């Protein structure tokens, strides 16, 4: 699949200048404030189109463990707790079922971008064989249900329920959980896995409320309007419709091919092109899988993937895809430098050269695949690959060869405004029947603002107060001052670009081990000491700053829309030794049985 880095020629200085020019065109003073939430006058767009909200009585009881978020994090933590003998686990989820991002994102073509073998959690435990190298969303959503049923997590779950308050009651040593459905119950332990990309956003364009046609966000796809279904049936109600889609990120890349086939005419409004590399999906063969699936296979595959994205020289690449390709190219470049000369500057140069070559190859692909030379040129991404979410697809670029599909490139400026009849870009009004917003999800806002509640720990100190000068955790999943509380997220733990579910499984193992130890010991509380937390934060801060989404990248959610992440981001990074070392550390920490750094009360 990959052409060796050395086979692609490029003028590094000219590329650097082009990248800087393209970034500068896109920088804007309003950064993340350019977006608006699906609330207030957009409430209707936020409604769940997939599951009717069932009436129920408020809940007033006590559970051993309450987990906020029913995506992969809640499911895997729930599964591990059940396996450890904690029977009453309650998951609270704002969607109508388990799945998290896979519950909401049912747009046509939705598909996992990381290989199913390592991305879909608990495959061994549930006995499921993924059907494709990159599974489509319905299979992943079914897998979420499978985990829920397999581990009895539906019994106590509360769906269509948002947590509004989470307060530590010192006297009773319990957390008091309040929700928007009038629930008020207690839990000995709480966990939070609300995910990074769950609050949908719209571009705050002038006139956006004036449009008289149909509009929706990609995470609330209206199949009653478009026809078709999440399984990929043709969007047969769009045959007489002119459709606009705003945004060309990872979501648009997956749904544009379906819209291009279904709509009478499709207008794709582009501010910044995505880099779209080869997908090379294919079915998983049962016999091959049977040969692979010996005990412990998934962990072995996940470790191998992480090793291939890391700094070493692993002997094999089991997943072998676009993610590992870039790292392989970098290693190939590095191998040409004698180890005695491996300075940070030379390693950085090896990385840069591999990236320039990879991006040149991806740009060439756009030009080769797309028939119209101007469209092909406009689809070229002028930035380093990890400045924005890399995409992989074998029908996206091809969709622009459909006669009714038009790329409306806006030269980095974006759509100007929405009118009653359509979309204005480059000074031209495009009249359409339907506008689809593929405009993504909030990232740059605070954790508290996204989750919708500010947990209050010991002495009423809230998480936002405690984190006022930056995130503070022990191992990325516990906080001093917040007894019996856990988090599942990648910062101060593995890292941001590792396979997210691998990090989730590791956190779940840690949480289950701690809770099980506390229960066996008859402890009322468990909490990291202030010293242990401080030592961990110092250790995290001793490493290099965030590697992805730096200030010289084109704006996007990786670099807070070009605004950067500020001083506090020094501690919003992963374990400086890398993901594999973090997991090895956690394995040893758990297995020692000492739970060093924790205080059981
Ligand atoms: P993104 O935030 O990546 O993309 C939003 C898009 O909207 C960008 O192209 C942005 O342009 C564009 N946009 C915003 N405002 C305007 C405007 N005024 N005019 C024109 N365009 C505009 O959201 P996505 O939903 O695509 O993806 C979010 C994330 O979800 C991904 O990065 C990925 O992490 C995850 N995802 C994962 C998938 C998987 O694993 N299979 C699939 C899909 C998503 P600009 O770039 O210029 O800001």
């Amino acid at each position: 699949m990959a052409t060796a880095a050395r086979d692609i020629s490029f003028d590094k200085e000219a590329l650097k200048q082009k990248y800087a020019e393209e970034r500068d065109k896109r920088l804007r003073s309003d950064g993340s404030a350019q977006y608006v939430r699906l609330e207030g006058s957009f409430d209707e767009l936020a409604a769940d189109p997939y599951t009717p909200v069932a009436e129920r009585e408020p809940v007033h009881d006590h559970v051993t463990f309450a987990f906020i978020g029913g995506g992969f994090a809640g499911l895997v933590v729930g599964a591990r707790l059940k396996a450890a003998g904690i029977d009453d686990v309650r998951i609270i989820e704002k969607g109508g079922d388990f799945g998290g991002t896979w519950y909401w994102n049912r747009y046509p073509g939705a598909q996992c971008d990381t290989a199913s073998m390592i991305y879909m959690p608990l495959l061994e435990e549930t006995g499921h064989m993924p059907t494709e190298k990159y599974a489509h969303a319905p299979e992943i959503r079914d897998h979420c249900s499978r985990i829920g049923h397999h581990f009895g997590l539906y019994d106590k779950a509360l769906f269509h329920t948002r947590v509004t308050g989470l307060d530590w009651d010192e006297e009773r040593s319990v957390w008091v959980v309040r929700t928007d459905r009038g629930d008020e119950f207690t839990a000995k332990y709480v966990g939070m896995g609300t995910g990074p990309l769950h609050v949908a956003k719209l571009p705050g364009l002038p006139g956006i409320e004036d449009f008289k046609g149909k509009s929706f966000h990609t995470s609330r796809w209206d199949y009653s309007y478009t026809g078709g279904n999440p399984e990929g049936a043709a969007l047969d109600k769009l045959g007489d419709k002119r459709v606009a889609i705003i945004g060309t990120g990872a979501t648009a890349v997956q749904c544009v091919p379906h819209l291009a086939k279904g709509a009478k005419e499709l207008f794709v409004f582009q501010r910044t092109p995505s880099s779209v590399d080869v997908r090379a999906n294919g079915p998983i063969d049962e016999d091959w899988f049977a040969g692979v699936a010996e005990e412990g296979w998934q962990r072995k595959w996940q470790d191998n993937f992480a090793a291939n994205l890391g700094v070493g020289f692993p002997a094999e690449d089991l997943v072998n895809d676009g993610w590992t390709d870039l790292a392989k190219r970098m290693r190939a470049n590095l191998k040409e430098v004698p180890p005695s000369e491996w300075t940070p500057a030379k390693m950085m140069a090896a990385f840069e050269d591999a990236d320039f070559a990879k991006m040149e190859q991806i740009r060439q692909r756009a030009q080769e695949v797309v028939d119209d030379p101007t469209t092909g040129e406009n689809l070229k991404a002028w930035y380093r690959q990890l400045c924005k979410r890399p995409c992989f697809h074998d029908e996206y670029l091809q969709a622009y060869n459909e006669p009714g599909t038009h790329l409306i490139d806006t030269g980095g400026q974006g759509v100007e405004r929405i009118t009653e009849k359509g979309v204005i870009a480059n000074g031209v009004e495009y009249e359409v029947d339907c506008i689809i917003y593929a405009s993504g999800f909030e990232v740059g806002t605070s954790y508290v603002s996204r989750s919708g509640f500010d947990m209050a720990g010991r002495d009423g100190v809230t998480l936002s107060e405690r984190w006022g000068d930056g995130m503070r955790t022990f191992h990325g999943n516990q906080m001093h001052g917040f007894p019996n509380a856990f988090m599942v997220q990648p910062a101060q733990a593995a890292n941001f670009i590792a396979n997210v579910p691998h990090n989730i499984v590791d956190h779940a193992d840690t949480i289950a081990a701690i809770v099980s130890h506390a229960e066996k010991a008859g402890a009322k509380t468990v909490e990291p000491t202030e010293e242990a937390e401080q030592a961990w934060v110092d250790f995290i801060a001793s490493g290099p700053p965030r590697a992805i989404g730096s200030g010289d990248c084109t704006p996007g959610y990786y670099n807070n829309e070009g605004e950067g992440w500020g001083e506090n981001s020094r501690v919003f990074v992963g374990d400086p030794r890398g993901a594999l070392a973090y997991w090895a550390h956690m394995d040893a920490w758990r297995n020692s049985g000492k739970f060093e750094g924790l205080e059981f009360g």
Side-chain angles (χ1 to χ4, degrees), residues 389-560:
R389 173 60 145 67
C391 297
F392 307 91
H393 214 282
D394 295 337
E395 284 111 45
Y396 173 71
L397 297 167
Q398 292 77 350
Y400 293 97
N401 296 334
E402 296 279 345
T405 300
H406 317 282
L407 177 72
I408 312 299
D409 181 60
T410 61
Q413 301 313 297
V415 164
E416 282 162 38
R417 65 177 303 126
I418 305 291
T419 64
E420 284 191 7
K421 293 182 178 165
V423 178
I424 298 188
N426 306 327
V428 177
E429 181 173 23
Y430 295 85
E431 291 189 13
V432 292
D433 301 292
C434 172
I435 302 177
I436 300 171
Y437 292 101
S439 42
F441 303 85
E442 272 184 33
V443 176
T445 50
S446 75
Y447 186 87
V448 165
S449 141
R450 286 199 307 280
S451 52
F453 61 92
D454 198 1
M455 72 190 297
R458 194 164 269 143
D459 301 324
V461 175
T462 61
L463 192 62
S464 54
E465 286 164 347
R466 179 78 183 150
W467 285 7
D469 294 327
M471 185 180 190
R472 307 183 55 78
T473 71
F474 181 56
H475 293 157
N477 52 34
Q478 280 181 283
M479 293 84 67
H480 176 72
F482 297 82
N484 298 1
F486 301 91
M487 271 194 168
V488 178
Q489 55 78 49
Q492 302 194 357
N495 67 15
F496 287 92
I497 54 170
N499 175 27
V500 173
H502 191 171
N503 203 38
I504 289 175
V505 171
D506 184 79
H507 275 326
D509 286 341
T510 302
I511 294 169
I514 296 170
V515 169
S516 175
H517 182 79
E519 290 299 289
K520 279 186 198 129
K524 275 184 161 176
T525 59
V526 54
E527 177 187 356
T529 64
E530 181 131 41
E531 298 72 40
E533 184 184 81
Q534 186 61 51
W536 186 256
V537 174
D538 290 344
F539 168 63
I540 293 291
S542 70
R546 264 173 98 119
I548 59 167
S550 61
D552 58 355
C553 279
T554 194
Y557 78 81
Y558 274 22
N559 67 355
N560 197 17

Side-chain angles (χ1 to χ4, degrees), residues 26 28 34-35 101-102 105 107 110-114 119 197 201-205 217-218 246-254 269-274 279 323 388-389 410 412-416 438-441 554-558 561:
R26 292 171 170 83
R28 42 192 288 166
Q34 67 184 284
Y35 293 104
T101 197
W102 297 106
N105 286 290
Y107 58 82
Q111 183 185 14
C112 163
D113 260 351
T114 307
Y119 181 78
L197 293 157
K201 60 183 167 62
L202 299 172
L205 293 167
H217 187 272
T218 46
I246 298 180
T248 48
T251 297
V253 164
Q254 294 184 333
F269 291 89
Q270 171 177 275
R271 189 165 66 180
T272 310
S274 280
R279 166 80 301 165
W323 295 106
K388 278 192 176 272
R389 173 60 145 67
T410 61
Q413 301 313 297
V415 164
E416 282 162 38
S439 42
F441 303 85
T554 194
Y557 78 81
Y558 274 22
E561 304 301 331

Side-chain angles (χ1 to χ4, degrees), residues 260-291:
K261 285 202 187 89
K264 180 177 164 206
E265 278 198 279
L266 175 67
F267 300 89
V268 184
F269 291 89
Q270 171 177 275
R271 189 165 66 180
T272 310
S274 280
S275 71
V276 187
D277 202 357
V278 173
R279 166 80 301 165
N281 196 16
I284 288 184
D285 176 74
E286 262 182 63
D287 292 337
W288 172 83
F289 184 77

Side-chain angles (χ1 to χ4, degrees), residues 281-342:
N281 196 16
I284 288 184
D285 176 74
E286 262 182 63
D287 292 337
W288 172 83
F289 184 77
V292 165
E294 82 280 11
E295 202 187 330
W297 74 265
Q298 196 174 27
R299 176 71 193 252
K300 178 179 149 198
W301 273 63
Q302 288 177 332
D303 283 347
N304 180 263
F305 182 73
N308 273 280
L309 294 188
V311 288
F313 289 91
E316 57 178 346
D317 178 2
L318 292 170
V319 166
N320 193 24
D321 69 357
W323 295 106
T324 57
D325 183 46
L326 179 62
K328 265 194 251 173
R329 283 164 180 271
M330 190 190 95
R331 281 195 284 271
N333 284 4
L334 204 56
K335 265 191 176 155
E336 300 195 341
V337 182
S340 57
E341 292 175 28
W342 282 3

Side-chain angles (χ1 to χ4, degrees), residues 50-361:
Y50 314 123
T51 316
V53 178
E55 287 301 316
R56 67 167 175 81
E57 290 301 312
V59 170
H60 302 285
D61 61 0
H62 175 82
V63 290
T64 302
F65 205 111
F67 196 94
I68 302 161
F72 280 176
L75 287 165
V76 179
V77 170
R80 288 295 197 251
L81 287 169
K82 287 271 185 162
I86 310 297
D87 279 335
D88 54 338
V89 177
R90 167 168 295 147
I91 295 177
I92 306 123
E93 164 55 44
K94 67 182 176 182
D97 199 343
F98 290 130
T101 197
W102 297 106
Y103 175 82
W104 294 107
N105 286 290
R106 303 187 187 201
Y107 58 82
Q111 183 185 14
C112 163
D113 260 351
T114 307
S116 330
M117 296 282 280
I118 58 164
Y119 181 78
M120 293 172 73
L122 310 185
L123 288 175
E124 277 188 82
E125 290 83 340
T126 54
H128 178 67
M129 180 195 90
T131 61
E132 299 175 279
K133 181 163 183 178
Y134 303 96
H136 279 79
E139 178 173 346
I140 304 176
R141 204 166 51 253
D142 284 351
H143 187 58
C144 292
S145 287
R146 179 177 301 113
I147 297 172
H149 287 299
H150 190 92
F151 291 98
L153 297 169
Y154 276 95
D155 304 348
K156 286 198 172 298
L158 298 176
F159 295 116
H160 280 142
T161 304
R162 286 167 197 268
V163 170
T164 52
L166 189 57
D167 301 310
W168 175 247
D169 181 331
E170 181 76 35
E171 220 163 276
R172 293 186 286 165
S173 293
V174 290
W175 285 94
V176 180
V177 186
R178 293 185 189 83
T179 78
D180 66 349
R181 303 289 298 266
D183 309 308
E184 183 171 327
F185 61 92
T186 55
K188 179 167 178 184
Y189 305 94
V190 292
M192 284 173 294
T194 46
L197 293 157
H198 64 103
V199 180
K201 60 183 167 62
L202 299 172
L205 293 167
I208 189 165
E209 290 168 55
D210 301 341
F211 183 58
K212 296 270 187 258
K214 174 79 186 171
S215 57
F216 55 86
H217 187 272
T218 46
S219 65
R220 305 288 189 279
W221 197 274
D222 189 343
Y223 282 102
S224 69
Y225 179 83
T226 63
N229 60 34
E231 282 72 31
L235 305 176
D236 55 4
K237 293 189 181 171
L238 294 182
D240 59 349
K241 302 279 189 298
R242 288 162 61 91
V243 177
I245 180 164
I246 298 180
T248 48
T251 297
V253 164
Q254 294 184 333
C255 62
V256 158
H258 294 260
L259 289 167
K261 285 202 187 89
K264 180 177 164 206
E265 278 198 279
L266 175 67
F267 300 89
V268 184
F269 291 89
Q270 171 177 275
R271 189 165 66 180
T272 310
S274 280
S275 71
V276 187
D277 202 357
V278 173
R279 166 80 301 165
N281 196 16
I284 288 184
D285 176 74
E286 262 182 63
D287 292 337
W288 172 83
F289 184 77
V292 165
E294 82 280 11
E295 202 187 330
W297 74 265
Q298 196 174 27
R299 176 71 193 252
K300 178 179 149 198
W301 273 63
Q302 288 177 332
D303 283 347
N304 180 263
F305 182 73
N308 273 280
L309 294 188
V311 288
F313 289 91
E316 57 178 346
D317 178 2
L318 292 170
V319 166
N320 193 24
D321 69 357
W323 295 106
T324 57
D325 183 46
L326 179 62
K328 265 194 251 173
R329 283 164 180 271
M330 190 190 95
R331 281 195 284 271
N333 284 4
L334 204 56
K335 265 191 176 155
E336 300 195 341
V337 182
S340 57
E341 292 175 28
W342 282 3
T343 58
K346 285 211 166 142
M347 289 177 81
M348 188 50 76
F351 180 76
E352 258 187 19
D353 286 353
D355 194 309
F356 282 128
K358 180 84 218 177
M359 289 302 285
E360 274 297 284
Q361 186 195 36

